[in-house]
Amino acid sequence: MENALKANPKDLSEQYEKKIDDLHAAYWEAMLQIKFLKKLNRHLDQDD
């Protein structure tokens, strides 16, 4: 927290934007994995 008070506001903004972008990408990757696993599960259930 102390470093945040000393940092340049523009640098902090860029760091937070990068974190948001990374979290956004991770979220959508997880959503695609869930969608894939659900679809795979449906196909595996049909084979039974």
Side-chain angles (χ1 to χ4, degrees):
M1 180 71 179
E2 188 175 317
N3 289 338
L5 297 175
K6 294 179 184 178
N8 183 355
K10 185 177 180 184
D11 292 340
L12 283 177
S13 177
E14 289 174 2
Q15 287 177 359
Y16 286 127
E17 286 179 25
K18 172 124 176 61
K19 283 183 182 181
I20 289 171
D21 288 343
D22 291 346
L23 289 171
H24 190 255
Y27 170 81
W28 285 110
E29 183 178 344
M31 293 303 292
L32 286 173
Q33 288 177 355
I34 289 170
K35 192 173 185 177
F36 169 78
L37 290 173
K38 284 182 178 181
K39 191 175 279 192
L40 177 64
N41 201 16
R42 267 188 267 134
H43 285 289
L44 291 175
D45 286 344
Q46 285 179 353
D47 291 342
D48 290 345

